[in-house]
């Protein structure tokens, strides 16, 4: 998931840079900077250092003829990133661009800085065997001595070093500018034959390039189409990103909607179990109390019945005996008894028996 996000960011930044570059080709710096700023914002947010260095360099190039401070600001940031990441290729080109900017704005106080940057670039290009970087650095050094020091002899030395690389097979559209500088330098040094020679080479090369210029309008048409296509790609990428965000939000919401009822159901079920357990315990206690009450009632009832039985038995048995005693007592003739005490006892017994 993290790798997909990194790849997505890299692709988005690359597309934004390409669209901006296409606008630069159309000399539409306003729209170009708008896309560069989008790429810069994404690169800074995702900490994409190498992508940022490319963006900084390209933004700086868009300011090279109009704003020295902005150009120097962005190129310095690019150079620092290239140095920290060990990217010699990018460092050389960014340093050459900064030196060229200083010369273009004729910032005399910064001329030593420009020369130092170019010397370092030449050393790095030679060590890395970067023919293209070596060619352009020699060309810019020649330009430096021609414009800054007004030393045409030194300028010619560096222009010829660049020319030697062309003779060794290096080819680039910018070689036309080298022939122009060589022609002008020889002219300033008084060597008119060589000045004319390189001017002729320059014109012949320009004529051969003329056929390419004929197709410029067609290329620009294709470029506009490519810009629109890449714009659509950006919009598609943004829509895909929005869809991913919406999907994540939907999944989160659905998860919440599912989890919350489950939690509530679990809490309700747990409370129900506790309630049922409490009710069960209460019912058990009530049953025991009712059982004990019935037992006590039965015990009391039994005791009452036993007392009634005993009382009845006592009443029936004792009553009969007392009646018999009373009858016997009545049969006694106390007149013949001489003993007064015995007589009194018999009378008492007769009274009791009645």
């Amino acid at each position: 998931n993290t790798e997909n996000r990194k790849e997505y960011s890299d692709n988005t930044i690359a597309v934004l840079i390409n669209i901006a570059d296409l606008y630069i080709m159309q000399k539409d710096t306003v729209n170009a900077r708008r896309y560069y700023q989008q790429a810069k914002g994404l690169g800074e947010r995702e900490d994409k250092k190498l992508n940022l260095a490319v963006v900084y360099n390209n933004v700086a190039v868009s300011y090279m003829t109009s704003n020295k401070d902005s150009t120097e600001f962005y190129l310095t940031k690019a150079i620092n990133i290239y140095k920290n990441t060990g990217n010699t290729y990018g460092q050389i080109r960014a340093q050459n661009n900064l030196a060229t900017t200083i010369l273009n704005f004729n910032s005399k106080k910064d001329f030593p800085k420009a020369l130092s940057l170019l010397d370092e670039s030449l050393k790095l290009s030679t060590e890395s065997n970067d023919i293209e970087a070596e060619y352009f650095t020699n060309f810019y050094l020649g330009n430096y001595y021609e414009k800054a020091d007004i030393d045409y002899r030194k300028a010619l030395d560096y222009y010829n070093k660049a020319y030697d690389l062309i003779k060794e097979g290096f080819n680039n559209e910018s070689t036309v500018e080298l022939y122009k500088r060589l022609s002008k330098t020889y002219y300033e040094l008084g060597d008119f034959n060589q000045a004319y020679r390189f001017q002729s080479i320059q014109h012949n090369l320009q004529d051969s390039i003329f056929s390419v210029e004929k197709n410029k309008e067609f290329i620009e048409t294709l470029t506009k189409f490519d810009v629109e296509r890449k714009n659509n790609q950006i919009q598609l990428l943004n829509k895909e990103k929005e869809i991913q965000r919406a999907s994540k939000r939907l999944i989160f919401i659905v998860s919440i909607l599912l989890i919350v009822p489950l939690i509530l159901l679990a809490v309700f079920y747990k409370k129900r179990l506790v309630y049922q357990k409490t009710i069960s315990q209460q019912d058990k206690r009530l049953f025991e109390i009712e059982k004990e009450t019935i037992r006590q009632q039965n015990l009391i009832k039994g005791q009452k019945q036993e007392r009634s039985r005993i009382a009845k038995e006592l009443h029936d048995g004792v009553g009969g005996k007392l009646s018999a005693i009373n009858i016997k007592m009545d049969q006694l003739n106390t007149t013949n008894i001489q003993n007064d005490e015995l007589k009194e006892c018999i009378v008492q017994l007769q009274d009791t028996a009645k």
Side-chain angles (χ1 to χ4, degrees):
N1 200 2
T2 304
E3 290 180 0
N4 290 338
R5 183 180 177 184
K6 288 181 178 178
E7 185 179 355
Y8 176 84
S9 298
D10 290 338
N11 291 339
T12 304
I13 293 171
V15 171
L16 289 169
I17 292 173
N18 287 338
I19 292 175
D21 290 344
L22 290 171
Y23 276 117
I24 288 292
M25 291 174 62
Q26 296 179 7
K27 297 180 181 180
D28 186 351
T29 56
V30 174
N31 280 316
R33 287 170 192 159
R34 181 163 59 88
Y35 282 99
Y36 282 141
Q37 288 300 324
Q38 291 182 36
K40 182 173 80 71
L42 182 58
E44 289 174 347
R45 188 165 59 252
E46 299 291 338
D47 195 28
K48 300 289 184 180
K49 289 186 170 55
L50 289 178
N51 298 79
L52 273 175
V54 174
V55 175
Y56 290 149
N57 184 77
N58 291 4
V59 172
V61 170
S62 73
Y63 284 110
M64 280 185 72
T65 58
S66 60
N67 191 319
K68 175 182 175 295
D69 292 336
S70 295
T71 305
E72 187 171 359
F73 173 76
Y74 285 111
L75 283 175
T76 301
K77 290 172 78 72
I79 290 168
N80 289 334
I81 292 176
Y82 285 133
K83 283 183 177 180
N84 292 333
T85 55
N87 190 319
T88 306
Y89 177 88
Q91 180 184 344
I92 293 170
R93 282 150 185 80
Q95 288 181 171
N96 287 350
N97 285 337
L98 182 53
T100 303
T101 300
I102 293 171
L103 293 176
N104 287 343
F105 284 94
N106 199 28
S107 181
K108 294 182 180 180
K109 64 182 180 64
D110 293 324
F111 282 170
K113 179 180 179 180
L115 181 59
S116 175
L117 289 168
L118 291 171
D119 285 339
E120 184 181 3
S121 293
L122 184 60
K123 180 182 177 183
L124 290 172
S125 61
T126 305
E127 290 174 352
S128 61
N129 197 28
D130 188 337
I131 303 300
E132 181 183 358
E134 188 176 350
Y135 167 82
F136 280 107
T137 305
N138 278 306
F139 175 80
Y140 291 136
L141 277 165
N143 202 15
Y144 172 84
Y145 283 107
E146 180 186 350
K147 293 182 178 180
D149 279 7
I150 319 297
D151 187 339
Y152 293 108
R153 186 60 59 186
K154 271 193 173 182
L156 184 61
D157 289 341
Y158 284 107
Y159 284 144
N160 277 327
K161 287 179 181 179
Y163 181 55
D164 288 340
L165 292 173
I166 292 175
K167 289 189 289 186
E168 291 175 10
F170 177 77
N171 187 23
N172 191 282
E173 292 179 2
S174 62
T175 53
V176 174
E177 185 63 24
L178 174 63
Y179 295 137
K180 181 179 178 181
R181 304 318 308 168
L182 279 167
S183 176
K184 182 178 184 302
T185 304
Y186 275 117
Y187 180 84
E188 294 294 341
L189 291 171
D191 191 340
F192 302 116
N193 289 330
Q194 286 285 52
Y196 177 74
R197 172 173 168 261
F198 280 106
Q199 188 181 56
S200 298
I201 295 173
Q202 173 198 345
H203 290 159
N204 290 334
L205 187 58
Q206 283 177 331
D207 289 340
S208 66
I209 295 173
F210 182 71
S211 59
V212 177
E213 292 296 326
K214 284 183 178 181
N215 297 323
K216 188 174 180 180
E217 290 183 4
F218 176 71
I219 293 172
E220 286 180 353
T221 303
L222 289 178
T223 299
K224 288 179 181 178
F225 171 76
D226 201 19
V227 168
E228 290 178 359
R229 183 174 61 83
K230 289 185 180 295
N231 271 327
N232 291 332
Q233 288 179 350
I234 288 289
Q235 291 176 0
L236 182 61
L237 288 171
N238 288 333
K239 285 182 179 178
E240 287 179 355
K241 197 171 183 180
E242 284 297 321
I243 291 171
Q244 289 178 356
R245 288 176 181 170
S247 298
K248 288 179 180 178
R249 285 196 298 268
L250 181 60
I251 292 171
F252 176 76
I253 291 170
V254 170
S255 300
I256 292 296
L257 292 175
L258 289 175
I259 290 170
V260 170
L262 288 175
I263 292 173
L264 292 175
L265 185 61
V267 171
F268 173 77
Y269 181 72
K270 186 176 180 181
K271 287 186 176 181
R272 183 182 177 86
L273 288 177
V274 173
Y275 175 74
Q276 288 179 342
K277 186 176 180 181
T278 304
I279 293 298
S280 178
Q281 290 175 347
Q282 289 177 349
D283 288 344
K284 187 176 180 181
R285 283 198 298 271
L286 288 172
F287 176 75
E288 292 295 333
I289 291 170
E290 186 177 355
K291 185 178 178 183
E292 182 63 22
T293 302
I294 293 171
R295 191 182 69 80
Q296 293 291 336
Q297 288 176 348
N298 290 335
L299 180 62
I300 292 169
K301 185 177 180 181
Q303 288 176 347
K304 284 182 178 181
Q305 289 176 349
E306 185 65 18
R307 286 194 192 100
S308 298
R309 184 185 65 78
I310 292 170
K312 185 177 181 182
E313 287 180 356
L314 287 173
H315 181 271
D316 292 345
V318 174
K321 289 178 180 180
L322 287 173
S323 296
I325 291 170
N326 191 32
I327 293 169
K328 291 292 183 180
M329 286 294 180
D330 287 339
Q331 293 177 353
L332 286 175
N333 187 3
T334 57
T335 56
N336 295 324
I337 298 173
Q338 301 295 324
N339 193 329
D340 295 332
E341 290 181 4
L342 179 59
K343 216 187 253 191
E344 186 179 352
C345 287
I346 292 170
V347 173
Q348 288 179 357
L349 283 173
Q350 289 175 341
D351 292 336
T352 301
K354 290 177 181 180

